[in-house]
Amino acid sequence: MPHIAVVPGDGIGNEVIAEGLRVLGAVAPDVTWETFDLGAERYLRDGTTMPPEVMRRWREDFDAVYLGALGDPRVPSNVHARDILLGARFQLDLYINFRPVRLLDSRTCPLKDKAPEDIDFVVFRENTEGLYTGIGGQFKRDTDDEVAIEQEMNTRKGVERIVRAAFAWARQHGKRRVCMSDKANAMRHGHDLWQRVFKAVAADYPEIEARHLYVDVLTMQMVLAPEQFDVIVTNNLFGDIVTDLGAALQGGIGLAASGNLNPGVAALFEPVHGSAPDIAGKGIANPLAAVLSAGMLLGHLGRPQVERRIQDAVQACLRDGRVTRELGGTLTTREVGDAVLDSLGGV
Ligand code: ATP
């Protein structure tokens, strides 16, 4: 029976994960979970961020991790968030950041005249390399002659595995198009590697249209004609940016779910939004991203029909305006959870 590790975390993480777990329990009663007391409270209490033993257990004893959000103004460095999130990402080698961009209701889309069928693609963001490895340094810091260097790391293995994952997912899900995005015209070493690897991997998937767009063109096209995309694969930095653009297209971070994956080894699912200290404890956070993340988790456990049921229930809530105030509704976090459960009964 599937067993999952749950980290509600900080701020609204606790509130939205509570609703995600209610939904999960309703649609998958055989799934069991263990909640981990990790986050700012724990760090402030006893200095613990991420015990190595917990990481080992996540890898060996659990089918997936379900995480709320980490970040707290009382921990200005957010060292706990770094240790937990980056710790999991690197120690479990979660090299795929998987971000579906799916419009569920045209009213939540900032683009005019776009229907759900126009915005339905996924982004494969490389999650362990690129510009986010911290390689670099500062020289003559705080002087007029200061030099700061941030280096981008691209390895053939790292590029190949994310590109291959994107094509494999496209094939498995009957999608016709994979678009790779880089800036090879300006970044001629690392992104040339992306170009060569992309062409080589694409040759193994002749039935899939392999296309390339520079990232500046990609961002324009995502806004002008998002219907042209099925799968986008890109590096860590560009993925960070285009996935937030994608979240905006689908209705904001209150609706954006994500998976951090290393197929066959580990998987961590979380809403894209952070701990939102400004609204924490008020009961007004939108739990739908957390609910959709729970759906993705179940899809990952081999239950795509259940994931679909959850999406349909969320879609019904949006259609009926049973949403929190940032989406124009009046419901509390808990009431939106009730509405999803109610809709599940009818879908
Ligand atoms: P970080 O991302 O660094 O943890 P954060 O929590 O402030 O920081 P976001 O999660 O990006 O950043 O949120 C930005 C703002 O969007 C929040 O301050 C909040 O006002 C709003 N917001 C985020 N998530 C939700 C949500 N689930 N429901 C309603 N509003 C939200």
Side-chain angles (χ1 to χ4, degrees):
M1 267 185 320
H3 191 42
I4 63 174
V6 176
V7 184
D10 303 331
I12 63 169
N14 289 284
E15 301 164 50
V16 298
I17 290 297
E19 301 314 310
L21 288 175
R22 283 210 296 152
V23 171
L24 200 135
V27 294
D30 60 320
V31 173
T32 55
W33 61 79
E34 176 178 336
T35 301
F36 286 82
D37 174 23
L38 295 172
E41 290 293 346
R42 173 81 186 271
Y43 174 70
L44 292 169
R45 200 167 67 238
D46 65 13
T48 300
T49 57
M50 185 66 202
E53 169 64 8
V54 170
M55 196 66 81
R56 186 197 62 74
R57 291 194 57 219
W58 283 4
R59 188 200 313 264
E60 293 173 12
D61 301 345
F62 293 89
D63 296 288
V65 180
Y66 182 42
L67 185 132
L70 293 162
D72 189 305
R74 294 171 300 166
V75 187
S77 64
N78 272 329
V79 59
H80 68 299
R82 210 171 43 238
D83 281 6
I84 298 167
L85 280 175
L86 294 187
R89 190 176 304 171
F90 286 105
Q91 290 175 47
L92 303 177
D93 201 16
L94 303 169
Y95 65 91
I96 302 168
N97 185 237
F98 178 77
R99 290 272 291 265
V101 178
R102 186 156 181 263
L103 181 63
L104 293 175
D105 190 295
S106 46
R107 282 168 303 176
T108 66
C109 183
L111 305 180
K112 64 177 187 304
D113 303 329
K114 292 296 175 196
E117 58 272 21
D118 295 324
I119 300 179
D120 185 6
F121 59 90
V122 300
V123 181
F124 279 75
R125 165 187 169 189
E126 204 293 320
N127 215 17
T128 53
E129 301 193 342
L131 258 172
Y132 289 8
T133 59
I135 300 173
Q138 295 177 338
F139 181 52
K140 299 187 182 175
R141 188 187 162 104
D142 290 332
T143 71
D144 288 346
D145 297 323
E146 177 162 357
V147 179
I149 296 177
E150 203 82 50
Q151 291 182 314
E152 191 185 75
M153 183 179 90
N154 297 280
T155 67
R156 178 174 278 274
K157 282 188 188 129
V159 177
E160 178 163 349
R161 65 182 182 175
I162 188 75
V163 170
R164 203 168 275 291
F167 276 102
W169 188 91
R171 176 176 279 173
Q172 198 188 346
H173 292 82
K175 301 290 183 184
R176 290 184 297 111
R177 302 167 294 190
V178 174
C179 175
M180 188 275 278
S181 189
D182 63 18
K183 192 68 186 162
N185 48 350
M187 301 175 74
R188 292 186 293 112
H189 306 296
H191 295 196
D192 176 64
L193 173 64
W194 276 78
Q195 295 269 331
R196 284 180 284 123
V197 169
F198 184 63
K199 283 196 187 81
V201 174
D204 292 339
Y205 296 85
E207 80 281 15
I208 294 173
E209 179 194 311
R211 180 179 178 210
H212 168 260
L213 288 177
Y214 294 125
V215 71
D216 40 354
V217 181
L218 172 69
T219 50
M220 280 195 294
Q221 290 302 322
M222 282 172 69
V223 171
L224 293 172
E227 57 278 3
Q228 68 189 286
F229 299 110
D230 288 335
V231 178
I232 294 170
V233 58
T234 190
N235 64 50
N236 209 339
L237 171 70
F238 296 163
D240 192 3
I241 298 165
V242 304
T243 53
D244 270 17
L245 174 54
L249 294 180
Q250 71 188 128
I253 46 177
L255 291 172
S258 75
N260 296 271
L261 315 170
N262 180 351
V265 177
L268 182 153
F269 296 86
E270 58 176 338
V272 165
H273 61 74
S275 58
D278 54 329
I279 57 166
K282 296 184 179 160
I284 57 172
N286 181 356
L288 293 178
V291 167
L292 291 167
S293 300
M296 282 176 71
L297 186 154
L298 291 167
H300 172 79
L301 295 181
R303 303 178 186 192
Q305 319 86 314
V306 182
E307 180 179 6
R308 185 77 221 178
R309 267 188 78 203
I310 291 179
Q311 285 173 359
D312 289 348
V314 168
Q315 196 160 24
C317 292
L318 292 169
R319 189 189 57 225
D320 302 341
R322 290 184 291 170
V323 290
T324 41
R325 60 183 72 171
E326 101 287 359
L327 288 180
T330 57
L331 300 192
T332 64
T333 308
R334 175 85 183 178
E335 286 167 345
V336 173
D338 290 339
V340 175
L341 290 169
D342 182 45
S343 298
L344 277 167
V347 294

